[in-house]
Amino acid sequence: MRKWLCYILMITLVSTSTAAFAPVGATYAEEGPSAVKDEVNTIGTDYYVDATGGDDSHDGTSPARAWRSFEPVNAKTFGPGDRILLKAGEVWENQQLWPKGSGAEGAPIIIDMYGDPELGKPYIAINGNVPTPVYLEGTTWKKDYDKVGRTGAVVLMNQQYYEIRNLEISNDDDFEHDINVPGTERQVVRDGISISIHADLLKDGDDKVMNYFRISDNYIHDIDGVTTWQRMHYGGINFQVFGSKPYTAYEDDAYYFQDVRIENNHFYKTELHAIQFAFNWFDDLGNWEQDWIWSKNMYSRDVYIGHNYAESIGQGAIQLANTKNMTVEYNVVNGFLQRYDSISAGLYAWCSQDVVHQFNEVYGGTSAFYDGTAFDFEFTSRNVVYQYNYTHDNPAGWMAYMGRAAGNVARYNLSVNDNGVLIKNQLHVNWTPAYFVNNVFVYDGAIAEVHDEEIKSPMYFYNNIFYNYNTETPTTWARRVSGGIPGTQNMIFQNNAIYEASGLRGEHEPVDLYKITVDPQFVGDPTQYGTGLYEGTQSFKLKETSPLINQGRYVPQVGTVDYYGNPNYRDGGIDIGIHEVQIGSYAAPEDRVVYDYQPQLSYARPDNLLLSLNAEDVSVSHEAPGQDKKLLIDGDLDTRWQTSDRVPTVESPTSITFDLGSPQTFGRFVIRQQEPRIGDYELQYSADGNAWTTVRTGTLVNIRDYVLDFDNVKGRYFRLNVTSARARGSLPFNEVELYDRTPMAPRLDITKLEYSKSALDRNTSTKVFLEKNGNEFAGIKYKGADLREGVDYTVNNVRIDLTRSFLDSLKNGNHVLHFEFKPDKGKKSVPLKVDIRN
């Protein structure tokens, strides 16, 4: 009865969500049992299993000669084109299905059902009777590699070319009660379908790349587990790669999955995940961020995950790792982090490359201090895109942001009542800036925040709508403010709409020269919404009278269509938000140079960097064996250096000392940690290396990167003393930097500005930035006359915009403007060449 009730619920939920996808071009295949076709198998042999009418003494080659249990199935090595067919409506209790052998290209081994589909899917209920591959040794988690990968109701290991479809699967020893204890009390690792590569079992000459898997139309439920992290992922469908040796012991270009599709599956109440794809479990030698995956080319690749429905998931619903060329679309996550007390996100990829998440709906998360958001730009990922997704009612927030990434883009996403932190964390700097383009955020300003920590490297925000519907409380932009500087200072805003229903402006609202603060004029009430990518989001289109029409800025990250599938650039421009109003004619953007500039908001610039030394100029008190001190100061955030494993104290600190070669002036020290382990510290300088003066002391909290400023001092030697650590272990550093903070000469970010009077999006070429260097901007002169602020140009912090009316008034050709500054003494003029053309 329980099985049938779950099955009816499954059909209801999936058919309800199906209609939501159709208007935006989805071809959602409605889940439902469909027995294997009756055509003759001309490639391999069909084998039948009937839990009621079968007999294990049979040969299994017809329904009349079906096997009864999985024992003969698991003992047989199947070949290309063979099919293993389980009878519809039958139940196999306490039995694991692990057929041996592999298929071949064009002739996969198929696991499916046969018989009357009205009887329901064949049901494998293993009831928790699987080995546990993790154990505690003192306080350290260990793995038993003889048991890893054997924890599913269905298991494949070092096998390839398989299709698994139309099964019902569970793995729970007590359906009435969840396991409500931490892993330290009870170790449990359970999967629904476990597919793994055990590298240690592969011999010379064996395939080390596992090809072609199709996992579809399965109902996987009740995969129970503990409430805390046991150093092992598991879930409804689990692809993983593992071996007992360090990753350096395994060859490159091997040990990964290729050509995988996971689609049309329904997950209910699974731990940790609904889908966990391709996590790599080699010994990472402390490099837990696993950026060695791309250098060794161990990414799994060519993966499609689509049209899956996941509800009431214990931890993160869809967790993807170590994968490239992946598309994740039309998945619904309805409830995640439901029974797990630690961090994760609804749907995300980690240490992956070239991943597109699109047309997914994620809701029903829970509050969480760390992560807990619907999405996550995770560590060491490259070219990850979130687009056309709908998230709502996730109280931890919208997007976690870890850093150490390149090419991240989030565009045309809708977030409604993700009333936690919209952009959460950022634990490390990025390799390249991230872009947030044409997203809509609707939130309650009394409980939501834009950011909680410190944005460590540039994030560009173009054409987004921030809609705070709270009528009393304005937006909280930055939880963290240090020395009057908000943690959001590296968020670069241009052409955004920031609407406050209260009429009040939030403290530390970012500078945005072209921001719009009036009501955006949605077609419906933005507080009224529902589920469904299309049905639930109709309110967020713009009226034809909206002030946001054609007010966006062209950047390549915008793309070609809006959230609803409409072409962009109607009426010659781009609208702000997720909807391009379809009025006027279509005009594609012309080719142009897109100008992104991050103004330097401090005196610390590359030409003020002092630490460009050799390894012999650096001395340390405690260094781990085999380290290269040059990695401390090589300017590469992908490299690291670390100290020995010890506990620093005031009496015996861990010290790093720099010899600058001659007396230098400096006033800023930057620490970029691999892991945030420094506790108390002191910064000192010396003229002779014997007498030391302390310029700053303090305590670092759980953040990786720090900028530590002090009044400029002069000395030949500088050192960092770490006098306590947050946790025992080595202190790993990616980079340290020392800067002179003496104000620099006034200057502009460019020396020549080119302006086309006929450009569609002319405001992309009118901005000039001042280097904020201690010199006061005093105005602009043209042919000896002062330009008029507010008429000929506007000033916003370090951003100067020459107005279109002024530039249009100039004749075609070359002109020179003089930007005036008031330095400490006298007055200085900086020329800017202006080229006007049609």
Side-chain angles (χ1 to χ4, degrees):
M1 178 62 71
R2 176 188 52 77
K3 183 181 77 168
W4 276 105
L5 288 174
C6 289
Y7 175 72
I8 293 169
L9 174 63
M10 171 190 70
I11 294 298
T12 302
L13 287 169
V14 174
S15 62
T16 300
S17 62
T18 298
F21 298 116
V24 287
T27 55
Y28 190 90
E30 182 174 330
E31 184 183 345
S34 57
V36 68
K37 294 180 180 178
D38 294 329
E39 71 267 15
V40 175
N41 187 347
T42 60
I43 302 175
T45 303
D46 288 347
Y47 295 89
Y48 298 82
V49 191
D50 181 345
T52 302
D55 189 324
D56 286 349
S57 66
H58 291 164
D59 61 12
T61 55
S62 70
R65 299 190 56 77
W67 291 316
R68 184 182 185 92
S69 74
F70 293 153
E71 184 174 347
V73 182
N74 296 342
K76 183 174 179 57
T77 299
F78 295 89
D82 288 348
R83 297 194 294 192
I84 304 164
L85 307 177
L86 311 185
K87 188 174 182 179
E90 296 295 315
V91 180
W92 287 264
E93 298 270 0
N94 305 313
Q95 297 183 55
Q96 183 180 73
L97 178 59
W98 186 357
K100 307 307 185 291
S102 291
E105 185 174 359
I109 296 172
I110 296 173
I111 303 175
D112 203 340
M113 71 175 182
Y114 76 98
D116 184 357
E118 296 299 320
L119 297 175
K121 298 178 186 292
Y123 180 25
I124 304 173
I126 197 169
N127 299 321
N129 291 299
V130 294
T132 300
V134 295
Y135 60 95
L136 274 173
E137 191 173 273
T139 58
T140 302
W141 285 101
K142 301 285 189 178
K143 295 182 181 68
D144 184 340
Y145 287 92
D146 290 330
K147 297 177 180 177
V148 177
R150 302 167 185 256
T151 52
V154 178
V155 170
L156 298 175
M157 182 180 292
N158 296 344
Q159 297 164 261
Q160 58 185 324
Y161 294 102
Y162 267 86
E163 296 183 8
I164 303 174
R165 56 197 188 212
N166 291 316
L167 304 181
E168 180 181 353
I169 293 170
S170 67
N171 197 343
D172 195 345
D173 58 347
D174 183 353
F175 289 88
E176 301 300 322
H177 302 94
D178 298 327
I179 298 174
N180 193 27
V181 298
T184 52
E185 294 184 19
R186 180 185 178 189
Q187 289 84 58
V188 174
V189 175
R190 296 170 176 169
D191 294 304
I193 298 174
S194 175
I195 301 177
S196 59
I197 297 174
H198 190 331
D200 295 343
L201 300 182
L202 292 172
K203 302 177 179 63
D204 291 342
D206 290 346
D207 283 343
K208 296 182 177 64
V209 175
M210 299 299 150
N211 277 282
Y212 189 85
F213 296 88
R214 300 293 185 266
I215 316 295
S216 63
D217 297 291
N218 300 288
Y219 174 40
I220 303 174
H221 60 91
D222 294 286
I223 310 294
D224 202 4
V226 296
T227 60
T228 59
W229 180 232
Q230 304 170 109
R231 304 291 176 185
M232 177 66 72
H233 286 288
Y234 52 98
I237 295 175
N238 184 13
F239 281 75
Q240 60 185 334
V241 181
F242 62 92
S244 60
K245 295 173 286 190
Y247 70 88
T248 52
Y250 299 94
E251 63 192 275
D252 297 351
D253 305 307
Y255 309 109
Y256 59 81
F257 297 102
Q258 182 170 280
D259 188 13
V260 179
R261 294 184 70 92
I262 302 173
E263 50 192 331
N264 295 312
N265 300 285
H266 177 206
F267 303 89
Y268 171 72
K269 207 173 183 183
T270 64
E271 322 286 335
L272 296 170
H273 316 291
I275 298 171
Q276 193 287 125
F277 189 81
F279 204 102
N280 192 308
W281 288 113
F282 298 130
D283 179 0
D284 56 26
L285 300 175
N287 185 1
W288 60 269
E289 290 171 338
Q290 295 198 335
D291 41 12
W292 49 268
I293 292 287
W294 56 267
S295 63
K296 290 181 69 65
N297 194 26
M298 284 184 168
Y299 284 118
S300 291
R301 60 205 66 189
D302 304 327
V303 178
Y304 179 87
I305 298 176
H307 304 280
N308 299 286
Y309 186 91
E311 55 177 326
S312 189
I313 308 303
Q315 200 214 39
I318 301 178
Q319 198 233 231
L320 314 167
N322 310 142
T323 303
K324 71 177 181 180
N325 300 335
M326 173 183 281
T327 299
V328 185
E329 66 179 10
Y330 296 110
N331 300 285
V332 177
V333 174
N334 174 7
F336 62 96
L337 275 175
Q338 298 297 294
R339 291 166 296 281
Y340 194 77
D341 69 351
S342 190
I343 55 178
S344 189
L347 184 158
Y348 69 106
W350 183 78
C351 189
S352 294
Q353 178 174 314
D354 301 324
V355 179
V356 175
H357 305 88
Q358 61 185 6
F359 306 115
N360 301 288
E361 182 177 7
V362 179
Y363 59 99
T366 188
S367 296
F369 184 76
Y370 295 112
D371 298 19
T373 49
F375 299 137
D376 188 353
F377 277 128
E378 259 287 1
F379 285 116
T380 53
S381 290
R382 300 164 186 263
N383 302 327
V384 174
V385 176
Y386 285 92
Q387 61 184 9
Y388 314 121
N389 300 290
Y390 175 33
T391 64
H392 55 94
D393 303 294
N394 296 296
W398 177 63
M399 178 78 75
Y401 198 96
M402 300 297 116
R404 285 180 63 79
N408 285 346
V409 177
R411 62 186 173 196
Y412 287 98
N413 300 287
L414 173 61
S415 165
V416 185
N417 277 335
D418 294 326
N419 285 324
V421 182
L422 296 183
I423 312 291
K424 199 169 189 179
N425 304 324
Q426 191 174 17
L427 302 182
H428 210 290
V429 296
N430 268 341
W431 296 314
T432 67
Y435 289 84
F436 296 83
V437 182
N438 284 90
N439 303 286
V440 171
F441 305 100
V442 177
Y443 53 91
D444 181 348
I447 53 179
E449 301 172 309
V450 175
H451 189 61
D452 56 344
E453 286 293 339
E454 179 185 0
I455 302 293
K456 299 180 182 301
S457 55
M459 294 182 183
Y460 291 95
F461 289 78
Y462 298 119
N463 313 334
N464 303 283
I465 300 176
F466 292 83
Y467 189 100
N468 176 11
Y469 60 77
N470 190 289
T471 57
E472 298 179 354
T473 307
T475 298
T476 299
W477 290 93
R479 180 190 301 175
R480 181 178 179 183
V481 179
S482 177
I485 299 175
T488 53
Q489 64 171 326
N490 281 324
M491 296 172 73
I492 314 305
F493 271 57
Q494 295 183 29
N495 298 77
N496 297 278
I498 305 175
Y499 176 71
E500 303 280 359
S502 65
L504 305 172
R505 309 315 300 175
E507 188 177 9
H508 305 299
E509 182 175 296
V511 174
D512 187 336
L513 186 61
Y514 289 100
K515 71 183 174 187
I516 295 175
T517 59
V518 297
D519 189 336
Q521 296 188 27
F522 292 123
V523 298
D525 183 346
T527 64
Q528 302 298 313
Y529 59 98
T531 57
L533 282 174
Y534 189 80
E535 290 180 339
T537 63
Q538 290 299 298
S539 294
F540 303 95
K541 293 181 177 179
L542 298 176
K543 296 179 180 177
E544 292 189 1
T545 56
S546 169
L548 309 189
I549 295 174
N550 289 341
Q551 296 304 306
R553 177 186 171 185
Y554 169 73
V555 290
Q557 291 79 10
V558 165
T560 59
V561 297
D562 72 1
Y563 177 94
Y564 302 98
N566 301 311
N568 285 329
Y569 314 110
R570 279 288 193 177
D571 202 26
I574 191 79
D575 298 349
I576 296 174
I578 64 172
H579 179 218
E580 179 77 12
V581 178
Q582 298 298 291
I583 56 177
S585 59
Y586 172 77
E590 62 186 53
D591 293 334
R592 74 196 74 179
V593 175
V594 178
Y595 181 60
D596 283 336
Y597 178 69
Q598 160 65 0
Q600 296 286 345
L601 299 180
S602 72
Y603 305 137
R605 297 187 193 82
D607 45 358
N608 278 21
L609 176 65
L610 301 179
L611 288 184
S612 181
L613 310 174
N614 296 315
E616 56 266 24
D617 299 318
V618 183
S619 58
V620 297
S621 62
H622 302 85
E623 184 176 45
Q627 298 297 302
D628 182 357
K629 290 178 289 186
K630 179 64 176 178
L631 301 183
L632 264 175
I633 50 176
D634 65 351
D636 187 348
L637 293 176
D638 286 338
T639 63
R640 69 172 178 179
W641 170 91
Q642 64 188 38
T643 69
S644 61
D645 184 349
R646 68 183 297 267
V647 178
T649 65
V650 174
E651 295 75 20
S652 179
T654 296
S655 298
I656 306 174
T657 304
F658 307 94
D659 181 355
L660 304 179
S662 62
Q664 304 278 351
T665 300
F666 43 84
R668 164 171 288 188
F669 186 57
V670 177
I671 300 173
R672 305 190 188 281
Q673 303 175 80
Q674 176 78 12
E675 294 183 40
R677 292 182 179 172
I678 296 177
D680 298 322
Y681 73 92
E682 60 181 357
L683 305 180
Q684 298 180 317
Y685 75 101
S686 172
D688 57 8
N690 295 314
W692 292 90
T693 301
T694 299
V695 294
R696 178 163 176 165
T697 62
T699 302
L700 303 188
V701 295
N702 188 25
I703 302 173
R704 294 176 177 228
D705 301 329
Y706 277 91
V707 176
L708 306 175
D709 286 337
F710 46 90
D711 291 337
N712 264 352
V713 296
K714 190 171 186 178
R716 173 174 172 173
Y717 300 92
F718 175 82
R719 76 180 178 191
L720 163 70
N721 288 333
V722 179
T723 56
S724 74
R726 299 183 64 253
R728 183 181 177 93
S730 63
L731 303 177
F733 294 83
N734 292 110
E735 198 75 8
V736 293
E737 300 160 1
L738 185 66
Y739 292 93
D740 180 359
R741 287 209 303 146
T742 302
M744 300 177 68
R747 64 181 187 180
L748 308 177
D749 66 300
I750 56 175
T751 59
K752 183 177 182 180
L753 184 147
E754 296 179 347
Y755 178 74
S756 173
K757 294 180 179 181
S758 61
L760 287 173
D761 192 10
R762 290 176 292 176
N763 64 18
T764 63
S765 61
T766 62
K767 296 182 177 66
V768 179
F769 291 91
L770 315 175
E771 290 285 5
K772 193 172 183 179
N773 48 27
N775 299 281
E776 180 183 352
F777 171 71
I780 305 175
K781 287 186 180 295
Y782 175 58
K783 294 184 176 180
D786 291 324
L787 296 189
R788 298 161 296 172
E789 183 176 354
V791 177
D792 301 319
Y793 69 92
T794 58
V795 182
N796 202 328
N797 198 1
V798 297
R799 193 173 303 173
I800 307 294
D801 188 82
L802 299 166
T803 64
R804 296 178 182 181
S805 59
F806 168 70
L807 293 172
D808 285 342
S809 72
L810 300 177
K811 294 181 179 179
N812 289 356
N814 295 317
H815 306 263
V816 178
L817 307 181
H818 293 274
F819 284 66
E820 305 289 329
F821 293 89
K822 293 180 181 178
D824 293 337
K825 294 180 181 180
K827 197 171 186 179
K828 186 171 180 62
S829 175
V830 179
L832 174 71
K833 296 179 181 178
V834 178
D835 179 14
I836 304 294
R837 60 186 185 277
N838 286 330

